[in-house]
Amino acid sequence: MSGGAETIVALSSGVLPSGVAIVRVSGPKAGFALKQLCGSVPEPRRATLRAVRAAGGELIDQALVLFFPAPQSFTGEDVAELQVHGSRAVVSALLAELLSLDDVGMAEPGDFARRAFENGKLDLADVDALRDLVDAETESQRKLALARQAGNLRHKVEAWRKALVSLLVQIEAELDFSDEDDVGTLDASGISAALHQLRNEWEVHLRDYARGQLIRDGFRVVLIGAPNSGKSSLLNALANSDIAIVTDEAGTTRDLKDVAVNIAGQLFIIVDSAGLRHAESKAEQEGVRRALEAIESADLCLLLRAPDVDTEYDVDIPKHAPILRVASKSDLGVVTGCDLVLSALTGEGIAHLLEILKERADSRLEGGEILASQLRDRTALERALAVTRDLELHIDELELCAEGIRRAIFELDRLIGRVDVEDMLDELFSGFCIGK
């Protein structure tokens, strides 16, 4: 946090210089800061053009100024925003003037979002969505973040929690008031059926987690083949830049090289790897080992074969590896028996390859709405699933059953931050930029 300052301030827009820079202030001194710099506090939520002046009266800049009184603001506190010209000098002078005020300090990464969480404006699912939206680089990532920001996961968790609380009430009533005439006999089979239905839903969303990871982390495509089969040239063609070194010397690539490529709104990670051959050089042996390791985690492997390479790869590829055979360097000739023909030099077949990659990714992403896309989501659902599975062995032991349902509720509450999660907050919010 910001050294204990009640009010925090930071540049909340992009890298300077820029056309416009937004400086955000949050805390009890936000309104006071506007009075000091602009003479008065503007009407709430109405952009107003004001002269921003230093304490001695010197003009800093003309700014559009907004004020959002608590609790109707992003953080739940009084918030002020000053939109000034995106000059380093202007922003520096403005920040210096703000930081000269008592109890006003510089925000650290995630401070604004953390205050919004602490003031009940965001839950942990919202925080994750906000971070994902800020970090989104592809259309699919943007849509995934917006679905989470819409509260779809939170609404599901609330429904699951309500169902578990209802079961817990029945069990507690049986434990505490079983001798009362107005309390019916507990229906153990009904409780078991309700838990089974919840587990079915959780299992569906756990299966969807892999699709969410594919969107967030990218579809991994590993380029493999014998030395000089054209892997690095293909990597450069797909990335549209000279990222990889290309020479006629075999064994040039000795380590993995990852490049992120946006194909039709989906993130792909293209991985260049060492040529697959038995080598005497220890460095090249290590490169081959890493290439085989990359194959194990690949969503697709492009196995390149070139007409000017006499020898085939002589290293065993895992049989379960998803392989697409590619005849590379078609400008020199065509290798038969492949699924696709292309040339990184002329561009032949590249468009077709992009279509194939998009189709492969789309087939993996088919399904319903993705709610569980964070590791914390998966962990919470797996724990709730394990707890309720164990309950089936003790469905007639009311005390154990009640305790198990409480544990399942606890795991769901941790997912959206309803219980003490201080141990994860520092790591979570530190992933934000300073102005968030």
Side-chain angles (χ1 to χ4, degrees), residues 27 33 50-51 72 91 116 128 132 143 174 177 185 205 298-299 330 342 365 368 397 415 419 425:
R50 293 289 178 87
Q72 302 301 319
V91 172
D128 284 328
D132 285 350
K143 290 179 178 179
E174 179 70 16
F177 307 107
T185 303
H205 291 295
D299 296 299
S330 63
L342 59 77
L365 292 172
E397 300 177 54
L415 198 159
V419 293
L425 292 183

Side-chain angles (χ1 to χ4, degrees), residues 133-210:
L133 188 59
V134 170
D135 292 340
E137 296 181 348
T138 66
E139 181 67 6
S140 58
Q141 290 174 339
R142 182 187 69 84
K143 290 179 178 179
L144 182 65
L146 285 176
R148 193 178 184 94
Q149 192 176 51
N152 299 3
L153 176 61
R154 180 176 63 254
H155 297 152
K156 273 290 186 184
V157 171
E158 292 286 358
W160 295 333
R161 189 182 190 281
K162 183 177 180 180
L164 288 171
V165 168
S166 176
L167 296 178
L168 184 60
V169 167
Q170 296 178 47
I171 295 172
E172 294 286 4
E174 179 70 16
L175 285 170
D176 296 339
F177 307 107
S178 58
D179 56 341
E180 300 291 335
D181 293 336
D182 58 347
V183 176
T185 303
L186 183 67
D187 180 10
S189 62
I191 291 177
S192 180
L195 291 175
H196 182 71
Q197 180 178 344
L198 285 172
R199 286 198 301 274
N200 284 343
E201 289 192 44
W202 296 340
E203 286 171 348
V204 168
H205 291 295
L206 282 171
R207 287 195 294 271
D208 288 342
Y209 172 79

Side-chain angles (χ1 to χ4, degrees), residues 1 111 114-115 117-118 124 376 410 413-430:
M1 297 291 284
D111 267 358
R114 184 161 187 161
R115 290 193 176 198
F117 170 77
E118 291 172 344
L124 288 187
R376 192 177 65 256
F410 175 81
D413 284 346
R414 278 179 60 89
L415 198 159
I416 57 175
R418 274 189 168 179
V419 293
D420 183 16
V421 288
E422 190 66 29
D423 56 336
M424 73 174 75
L425 292 183
D426 288 338
E427 179 179 352
L428 177 63
F429 289 106
S430 66

Side-chain angles (χ1 to χ4, degrees), residues 83-114:
Q83 300 181 15
V84 297
H85 292 92
S87 153
R88 291 188 179 92
V90 168
V91 172
S92 178
L94 177 55
L95 289 176
E97 201 63 30
L98 287 167
L99 294 172
S100 70
L101 302 175
D102 291 339
D103 295 322
V104 176
M106 196 71 185
E108 294 182 3
D111 267 358
F112 290 95
R114 184 161 187 161

Side-chain angles (χ1 to χ4, degrees), residues 36 67 73 133 144 243 305 310 354 360 389 393 433:
Q36 293 297 106
F67 181 65
S73 71
L133 188 59
L144 182 65
I243 292 174
R305 298 178 60 196
D310 295 331
L354 295 178
R360 291 292 184 102
R389 276 179 181 152
L393 303 175
C433 57

